[in-house]
Amino acid sequence: MAVTFIPNTPEWMADPYTSYRELREQDPIHWSEALGHWVLTRYADVVSVLKDERFSAANRPPQRRWDRPTTMVTADPPDHGRLRKSVRHRFSLTAINAQRPRIQEIVDELLDVAEPPGEMDFVAQLSRPFPRTVMLGLLGVPDPLLSGSLHEATPPKPAAKDSGKGSKLRGVALAPGTAMPGERYFEEALEKHREELTDDLLGELLKAEAGREMSPEEVLDTAVILYAAGQETTAKMIANCLYHLLKNPDQLAALRADPSLLESTTEELLRFEAPAHAITRRATADVALGEETIRKGEKVLCILAAANRDPEVFDDPERLDITRESNPHIAFGTGIHACLGATLARVEIQIAIETMLSRYPKLRLTTDDVEWEGSFIIRGLASLAISLS
Ligand code: HEM
């Protein structure tokens, strides 16, 4: 029977990897009538499309709710380079390393506030509020959950426990974590920044606007997209990381015994279970791929999460191995659109995991029965109940 790709069902949500393996083995360049896309699952094919300028990121239907027409995400050259340039240097290794103390402080404060006697929902209390607080700080926008002026969201509930440490973050951990500041919040923030240029991401965008490198609409959209792109993906990734470490006690023990494995652990977890499963492109010319021809105008779904388990590239790919040496995963994509925030995400993951392990030596899952949410665009844990003691 011909293999089909029917994502987003409860079975697929619980385990997408079986369907990826079947596709890769039986029909790696698969035409899905239902999705109206070619579906690619081999590493080599995915990389070749993402690096091929005949495939455009523009004029595709928005994949994620924050995709907008005027940002780098859906722009082709030369606009793409122009839109990425103004903020690129803010995400370099040097720039992100300089943020480490503040990022550590945010994790510590969230844990101080959230810390219940013995258990916590890691998603609601740490992995979700953490990247949003980091990103708002980098943008130079006051956190609406802290200032109590959130648009399009319910105000935070009081924290369950007073940490007694005078934390600025009190209330964040228990606030509705999915709350997004709306566009108007960023518009107002930009207005304030226009009055007085500041040394932050909004300041950089406004410099580009003043130099006529970006229009006011592009500036606003880029601010929104930086906020959104840096949030949901990282939040889901951090929870995925902790879940798989706690589910694999041998790997957890190896990391605890040798903390220098933190970097390779992060890369392996990104390969094994990153939240951004698939990204789309549209052919701008007829392109031969394997035994197929992708015709001009046709859309392609590049399944990164399938490519990252391709046995042609990764030994024993279904196995989590934090000591894996060769790991050219593409969890952050590849080519000109490769994730701008990859270094920031890596640092956030590492700080969160390191802090959890050192702070809670007895950390464990309270249940194996976890619920996955999202879609084949972004998939992650809805919650993660853990015991701290
Ligand atoms: C673990 C967390 C993250 C994952 C798995 C992830 C994944 C990705 C992927 C797969 C792409 C490529 C999209 C495409 O080619 O169409 C991408 C692009 C992007 N990411 Fe991330 N991302 C993460 C965190 C972040 C963070 C923290 C930021 C911070 C701002 C960020 C900002 C962006 C931006 C702006 C782009 C578009 C780049 C471009 O089009 O040139 N991401 N990300």
Side-chain angles (χ1 to χ4, degrees), residues 50 57 60 63-64 72-75 80 84 91 135 225-227 229-231 233-235 237 270 274-276 279-281 304 330-334 336-342 344-346 348-349:
L50 293 178
R60 57 181 180 180
Q63 301 181 31
R64 297 163 292 202
M72 68 188 95
V73 178
T74 44
H80 172 264
R84 187 163 164 139
F91 292 93
M135 206 55 227
I225 205 208
L226 286 175
Y227 167 72
Q231 216 208 131
T233 42
T234 316
M237 187 64 220
L270 281 161
I279 49 186
T280 59
R281 293 292 188 267
L304 307 172
I330 48 170
F332 291 117
T334 186
I336 60 166
H337 290 278
C339 182
L340 176 71
L344 171 62
R346 286 180 161 113
E348 288 180 280
I349 295 166

Side-chain angles (χ1 to χ4, degrees), residues 85-101:
K85 189 173 134 230
S86 61
V87 287
R88 202 179 43 201
H89 60 289
R90 289 268 173 178
F91 292 93
S92 69
L93 184 60
T94 313
I96 296 302
N97 273 338
Q99 296 293 330
R100 274 178 181 269

Side-chain angles (χ1 to χ4, degrees), residues 90-328:
R90 289 268 173 178
F91 292 93
S92 69
L93 184 60
T94 313
I96 296 302
N97 273 338
Q99 296 293 330
R100 274 178 181 269
R102 176 63 192 135
I103 295 174
Q104 178 71 59
E105 201 174 73
I106 292 170
V107 174
D108 290 339
E109 291 203 353
L110 282 168
L111 287 171
D112 286 347
V113 171
E115 200 168 276
E119 292 184 8
M120 73 188 281
D121 174 2
F122 184 70
V123 171
Q125 294 178 283
L126 192 94
S127 76
R128 215 185 266 149
F130 167 46
R132 81 174 261 137
T133 308
V134 172
M135 206 55 227
L136 288 171
L138 293 178
L139 283 160
V141 179
D143 191 328
L145 289 177
L146 303 183
S147 62
S149 57
L150 185 67
H151 292 280
E152 299 173 13
T154 348
K157 294 178 199 154
K161 177 185 172 235
D162 188 337
S163 69
K165 294 188 182 168
S167 167
K168 293 192 291 288
L169 296 173
R170 180 167 303 128
V172 173
L174 292 182
T178 49
M180 290 253 301
E183 192 168 301
R184 214 159 71 76
Y185 195 81
F186 289 101
E187 257 165 4
E188 282 169 14
L190 281 164
E191 274 318 307
K192 286 209 186 85
H193 278 63
R194 275 191 188 94
E195 285 158 21
E196 190 189 343
L197 271 195
T198 43
D199 182 22
D200 48 36
L201 280 168
L202 290 194
E204 294 295 349
L205 291 170
L206 289 171
K207 264 193 250 163
E209 182 185 282
R212 299 192 177 275
E213 288 153 39
M214 288 177 84
S215 71
E217 190 195 4
E218 288 167 344
V219 164
L220 173 63
D221 283 357
T222 303
V224 173
I225 205 208
L226 286 175
Y227 167 72
Q231 216 208 131
E232 190 175 358
T233 42
T234 316
K236 287 197 162 23
M237 187 64 220
I238 291 171
N240 292 356
C241 286
L242 191 66
Y243 170 65
H244 282 295
L245 282 174
L246 297 180
K247 219 176 138 216
N248 291 274
D250 59 326
Q251 304 288 302
L252 179 61
L255 176 59
R256 280 198 188 279
D258 181 0
S260 74
L261 289 175
L262 189 59
E263 271 182 34
S264 63
T265 301
T266 307
E267 298 313 307
E268 176 65 345
L269 287 159
L270 281 161
R271 180 193 74 80
F272 193 74
E273 187 90 85
H277 275 234
I279 49 186
T280 59
R281 293 292 188 267
R282 187 189 293 267
T284 60
D286 289 357
V287 180
L289 192 66
E291 288 171 6
E292 302 288 352
T293 299
I294 315 287
R295 299 275 168 210
K296 181 176 174 180
E298 285 181 340
K299 291 174 283 178
V300 181
L301 190 65
C302 298
I303 306 203
L304 307 172
N308 281 339
R309 293 190 184 204
D310 185 341
E312 289 288 323
V313 179
F314 303 97
D315 289 339
D316 202 359
E318 305 292 338
R319 198 167 86 83
L320 181 74
D321 176 4
I322 64 165
T323 61
R324 191 178 287 276
E325 274 170 12
S326 166
N327 193 352

